[in-house]
Amino acid sequence: MNVLDILTERGFVENTTHDEELRTYLHAGNASCYIGFDPTASSLHVGSLVPIMSLAHMQRWGHKPIALVGGGTGLIGDPSGKTEMRQLITHEDVENNKKGIRKQLSHFIDFTDGQAEMVDNADWLTGLGYIEFLRDIGRHFSVNRMIKAESYRMRLESEEGLSFIEFNYMLLQAYDFMKLAKSHNCLLQMGGSDQWGNIVAGIELTRKVHRKMAFGITFPLITTSSGAKMGKTASGAVWLDPERTSPYEYYQFWVNTDDNDVARFLGLFTFLPMDEIERVKGLQAADLNHAKAILAFETTMLAHGQHRAEEAFNAARSMFGGRVIPSDILPSSCIPREAVEGDGDAVPSSVLSMDDLNEGIPAFKLFSTVGLAQSGGAARKLIQQGGAYMNGQRVPSFDYMITTNDFEKGEIILRAGKKRYHKILIPR
């Protein structure tokens, strides 16, 4: 068994090129592989976890992962999977975003002693001469074949169309692959299913220019059992940056996983053994909820460390009641299994000024301000439909004025729906 078997067993693989040759390449050990990350934000999100985890598995099997940050291509924008042109970003944005991305990747991948690398394609793309690039690289590409790629076809059929800037993206990404094949002997590129055309283009360019066989692996688009895109919630993206999505909120995202997705997500987003995960498929009721808690704990531990995961787990126990995780459910997990009193300090909280509290704050405004609703209108609707609670009691009306009189033991606990909480604290 090699890492390709592991990735396939855990649900990562949708397509591969040159199956037998790829297997031989990985079986030899010490292979290099890369995945590109778009530097349009300073944080990655849950939707990036499949590529991140695939690189982590590669490293665990003795291979060298390379995280390519598209500092050059990010200045243009990849049309893949998009129906409109991306907003262009500046060099300064890219540099700032790279720092955040590397910090988050470091939780999953060990960059010490050259075990992994982060590279920026701006280092070789921004200095390219246009005429030389057309002569040496552009001549290997057929426009007829390019426009048949799904990413280009989707944009050509859209109302906005495909810009000439974006049309060049496939050439630049193929050039990245060719460049890494030469400079790092990196012969495997991985990416989402929408990157198939770009990956194949890089494989062909590497073969034509360097006479090297290169390989590709693509991942399926991960959706929930309801068909929703992974990592999207009513309140927006679930970020890996704890300043954008707190460890407690991150934990809660995973603990709210649909019953039908628990075993699949354990395979994709944790390193727990597959034989233990297979047994989760037969769990029901309380035992399945225990498995969800372990999924939430393990994913939070990977993204934020064990201490933060334990804080989130204990905070959840303090809000929803004590929960002892049986030792026979996913026994390889290091989730705390002893009965202890929960700690609610990790629950998101806000401190309001005494002036605001004395004057009173309308309930709908407060729910919106603390992020339990996306807008004032959404908060009104939540309250009118009976989904908003304060200190365990349903909020009577959207314009109910919340004041210091509503505090109990120095706090107000707001709740939206069944499991989204926020504490309001009195200033000290």
Side-chain angles (χ1 to χ4, degrees):
M1 178 176 282
N2 68 23
V3 68
L4 184 58
D5 298 310
I6 297 298
L7 292 176
T8 301
E9 180 184 31
R10 300 186 80 97
F12 286 86
V13 178
E14 179 169 280
N15 275 313
T16 63
T17 66
H18 313 92
D19 293 353
E20 291 305 315
E21 293 88 346
L22 171 60
R23 186 172 294 278
T24 300
Y25 174 65
L26 293 173
H27 186 71
N30 198 32
S32 289
C33 59
Y34 93 93
I35 292 176
F37 293 93
D38 192 348
T40 51
S42 61
S43 175
L44 300 171
H45 51 72
V46 166
S48 303
L49 280 180
V50 166
I52 293 172
M53 290 294 290
S54 70
L55 288 179
H57 279 291
M58 284 286 182
Q59 187 174 65
R60 286 177 169 228
W61 279 78
H63 305 298
K64 182 176 180 177
I66 298 174
L68 183 145
V69 176
T73 44
L75 299 174
I76 295 176
D78 180 4
S80 301
K82 299 292 181 292
T83 57
E84 59 185 22
M85 185 174 175
R86 291 187 181 186
Q87 184 175 355
L88 303 185
I89 58 177
T90 67
H91 289 283
E92 291 74 19
D93 292 332
V94 170
E95 287 303 312
N96 180 61
N97 295 344
K98 279 167 55 179
K99 296 176 183 177
I101 291 172
R102 183 185 176 98
K103 182 178 180 181
Q104 290 151 25
L105 290 177
S106 296
H107 288 282
F108 300 84
I109 301 165
D110 187 357
F111 285 94
T112 61
D113 301 323
Q115 297 179 75
E117 286 190 56
M118 174 178 276
V119 297
D120 184 349
N121 63 12
D123 292 342
W124 55 80
L125 291 183
T126 54
L128 284 176
Y130 187 58
I131 298 300
E132 291 79 9
F133 183 77
L134 290 178
R135 180 193 64 202
D136 298 335
I137 304 301
R139 66 188 179 89
H140 295 294
F141 289 80
S142 162
V143 172
N144 289 355
R145 290 189 62 185
M146 290 175 66
I147 62 176
K148 291 178 181 178
E150 182 180 355
S151 57
Y152 285 157
R153 189 172 67 251
M154 181 187 300
R155 288 301 305 277
L156 287 169
E157 294 171 356
S158 70
E159 184 175 338
E160 183 173 335
L162 179 72
S163 73
F164 180 71
I165 293 177
E166 295 169 297
F167 187 68
N168 284 271
Y169 191 92
M170 181 181 287
L171 279 72
L172 297 177
Q173 185 167 326
Y175 186 85
D176 288 343
F177 200 172
M178 184 199 76
K179 184 76 175 179
L180 289 176
K182 181 178 181 181
S183 62
H184 290 70
N185 197 31
C186 177
L187 301 178
L188 171 61
Q189 181 183 175
M190 302 189 293
S193 56
D194 60 339
Q195 295 297 316
W196 179 258
N198 294 333
I199 291 174
V200 170
I203 290 172
E204 293 182 352
L205 183 62
T206 300
R207 176 181 58 81
K208 291 175 181 177
V209 175
H210 294 314
R211 301 289 189 266
K212 289 185 176 183
M213 174 173 279
F215 311 96
I217 297 175
T218 58
F219 315 124
L221 174 65
I222 305 299
T223 59
T224 65
S225 58
S226 65
K229 190 174 182 180
M230 183 66 188
K232 294 293 184 180
T233 68
S235 57
V238 180
W239 300 97
L240 301 187
D241 182 351
E243 297 300 319
R244 297 191 182 204
T245 299
S246 73
Y248 176 79
E249 292 169 316
Y250 192 81
Y251 178 95
Q252 285 300 310
F253 168 77
W254 292 103
V255 88
N256 289 326
T257 295
D258 187 276
D259 292 357
N260 297 319
D261 293 326
V262 177
R264 182 164 62 105
F265 286 0
L266 281 165
L268 287 167
F269 303 119
T270 79
F271 292 111
L272 296 175
M274 283 303 296
D275 60 336
E276 296 181 14
I277 293 172
E278 283 297 319
R279 293 197 288 272
V280 168
K281 294 179 181 178
L283 300 181
Q284 295 180 345
D287 284 342
L288 186 57
N289 287 333
H290 293 320
K292 289 183 182 182
I294 294 174
L295 169 64
F297 179 86
E298 292 289 324
T299 51
T300 304
M301 182 174 65
L302 286 172
H304 301 296
Q306 184 164 344
H307 177 66
R308 296 299 184 193
E310 290 179 354
E311 283 187 339
F313 174 66
N314 289 328
R317 288 204 284 191
S318 76
M319 301 303 293
F320 306 116
R323 174 181 293 169
V324 177
I325 309 296
S327 60
D328 60 341
I329 297 179
L330 297 164
S332 295
S333 173
C334 58
I335 190 171
R337 297 181 189 265
E338 68 280 2
V340 296
E341 184 177 350
D343 178 6
D345 288 345
V347 177
S349 62
S350 300
V351 178
L352 301 183
S353 72
M354 290 303 298
D355 289 342
D356 289 338
L357 291 169
N358 288 331
E359 185 177 340
I361 304 173
F364 78 91
K365 183 176 180 180
L366 186 55
F367 270 75
S368 172
T369 299
V370 301
L372 290 177
Q374 284 189 294
S375 64
R380 287 172 184 253
K381 185 176 180 180
L382 175 72
I383 295 169
Q384 289 171 335
Q385 293 179 343
Y389 295 80
M390 180 175 63
N391 297 330
Q393 302 297 316
R394 188 166 285 162
V395 177
S397 64
F398 70 83
D399 56 356
Y400 175 84
M401 299 299 286
I402 297 176
T403 69
T404 53
N405 295 328
D406 294 300
F407 279 81
E408 296 181 2
K409 298 180 180 179
E411 63 185 21
I412 296 174
I413 299 179
L414 303 179
R415 172 161 63 93
K418 293 182 178 180
K419 297 183 178 181
R420 296 182 59 224
Y421 285 81
H422 196 99
K423 285 184 180 181
I424 304 298
L425 305 176
I426 293 179
R428 296 179 179 178

